[in-house]
Amino acid sequence: MIYVGVTGWGDHDSLYRDGVSQRDKLKEYGAHFPVVEVDASFYAVQPKRNSEKWVSETPVPFQFVVKAYQGMTGHQRGEIPFENKKEMFKAFRDSLEAYQKAGKLAMVLFQFPPWFDCKRENVNYLRWCKAEMGDTPVAIEFRNQSWYRPNMYQQTLEFVQKEGWIHTVCDEPQAGEGSIPIVLESIHPDKTLVRLHGRNIHGWQKPSSGDNWREVRYLYRYNHLELTEWVEKIRKLEKQSKDIYVLFNNNSGGDAADNAKQMIEMLGIEYEGLAPKQLGLF
């Protein structure tokens, strides 16, 4: 099955009724898409009450891709707010309980930063992360080109497969060392993640974008030809993996939701079991 959605549910105003509160947006989001990426978990390990709320507000077949906490992937600046890394991982695993009990955890996404390059120290850390996560399905996304250079390309894919990671296929600006090419390989027989970040090459690198670089880097709208090319790519991945999760991350200009709806239409998908389009007032 192909699940199409977006990253986060707070920034897609075209989906929601006028005046709908931030608190209620996920309920309405579930009327449009069968999957979402939880970004809040990257900035802080979420209290269980949050995941319990989100699980209760979504339809039975709904799926969550939960982003790993930044301290787990090396994005954290300064000291982590835990006694050690093992406690950090335990706290994060505990935060997943509601998703798992409801059968709504598609995977945890470990997105590593541009400075996480291909070297033995980092390979060993990946093994440690995978062991700490146990049986929880985990996806890996690199942001450093060294993992896919010609001399490491096949070794990287073999390592990801051997260790049991779900491969993340990315579409992003080709802006040097801190970006990766499209690696159209499923690897995992059950699940593959596709994240579409846009192609705003001028905004991708932080130094050239100023204080608002996060808003600029994901400012991009996929055109019909680009989406058509991705339909073909997704169909290829579908032959290699049981479930494909496609997440649009080009959120800055409000384009992600529109592009995701276009993609669903182009793939000819009609989802069953979504939330009602018209939600009650009470």
Side-chain angles (χ1 to χ4, degrees):
M1 182 172 176
I2 302 172
Y3 298 84
V4 180
V6 299
T7 58
W9 57 84
D11 300 324
H12 313 287
D13 291 339
S14 63
L15 299 177
Y16 309 124
R17 297 168 296 162
D18 290 340
V20 67
S21 68
Q22 185 74 20
R23 181 178 178 83
D24 291 329
K25 284 184 176 180
L26 180 57
K27 295 178 184 177
E28 296 204 10
Y29 177 96
H32 299 273
F33 302 112
V35 64
V36 75
E37 180 178 299
V38 180
D39 292 332
S41 54
F42 174 78
Y43 298 100
V45 175
Q46 296 297 296
K48 289 185 179 181
R49 66 178 181 273
N50 285 1
S51 54
E52 289 169 353
K53 176 180 182 292
W54 299 333
V55 163
S56 70
E57 291 177 345
T58 48
V60 172
F62 194 87
Q63 296 286 289
F64 291 89
V65 174
V66 182
K67 205 167 183 182
Y69 171 58
Q70 60 183 337
M72 299 159 64
T73 54
H75 288 86
Q76 179 80 28
R77 301 295 188 181
E79 296 295 321
I80 59 173
F82 298 92
E83 287 191 16
N84 53 57
K85 286 186 176 181
K86 285 192 76 70
E87 284 206 6
M88 174 175 62
F89 270 74
K90 183 182 184 305
F92 184 82
R93 291 195 307 270
D94 289 346
S95 75
L96 302 174
E97 183 178 352
Y99 304 112
Q100 292 170 321
K101 282 186 175 180
K104 293 186 176 185
L105 180 64
M107 67 192 74
V108 170
L109 168 62
F110 280 71
Q111 178 195 293
F112 288 94
W115 54 87
F116 189 84
D117 57 352
C118 184
K119 60 184 180 182
R120 186 175 299 279
E121 175 186 350
N122 289 337
V123 169
N124 290 337
Y125 182 66
L126 292 178
R127 287 197 176 98
W128 188 84
C129 288
K130 186 67 175 65
E132 285 295 308
M133 294 305 295
D135 294 333
T136 302
V138 287
I140 190 167
E141 177 179 345
F142 294 114
R143 283 279 175 90
N144 187 288
Q145 227 174 60
S146 62
W147 296 93
Y148 296 114
R149 286 184 183 140
N151 63 322
M152 293 306 300
Y153 183 98
Q154 197 58 41
Q155 291 183 59
T156 294
L157 295 181
E158 288 173 359
F159 171 80
V160 170
Q161 182 179 42
K162 181 181 178 182
E163 295 295 317
W165 291 88
I166 296 163
H167 188 230
T168 303
V169 180
C170 295
D171 185 67
E172 60 192 42
Q174 296 305 291
E177 190 73 15
S179 58
I180 62 169
I182 296 172
V183 180
L184 206 64
E185 301 284 351
S186 285
I187 298 176
H188 197 285
D190 295 327
K191 298 180 179 183
T192 298
L193 179 60
V194 177
R195 297 181 84 229
L196 303 168
H197 299 296
R199 299 176 179 178
N200 184 358
I201 190 167
H202 299 293
W204 190 249
Q205 301 290 1
K206 179 178 179 179
S208 62
S209 305
D211 294 337
N212 65 334
W213 69 280
R214 283 189 176 85
E215 295 178 13
V216 172
R217 77 181 313 189
Y218 299 114
L219 186 60
Y220 190 82
R221 187 178 187 87
Y222 285 93
N223 61 40
H224 189 269
L225 176 59
E226 291 167 337
L227 292 176
T228 299
E229 292 171 350
W230 265 105
V231 167
E232 296 176 5
K233 289 178 171 64
I234 291 166
R235 291 297 187 198
K236 179 181 176 182
L237 293 171
E238 189 182 22
K239 295 177 182 177
Q240 304 172 25
S241 197
K242 179 183 175 184
D243 292 322
I244 311 295
Y245 297 82
V246 181
L247 297 171
F248 282 84
N249 192 35
N250 52 326
N251 290 330
S252 299
D255 297 310
D258 288 345
N259 277 163
K261 282 187 170 282
Q262 287 177 277
M263 178 62 74
I264 290 171
E265 183 178 352
M266 293 169 73
L267 287 166
I269 300 173
E270 291 187 14
Y271 292 114
E272 297 180 359
L274 298 181
K277 287 284 185 183
Q278 298 298 326
L279 301 179
L281 296 177
F282 304 99

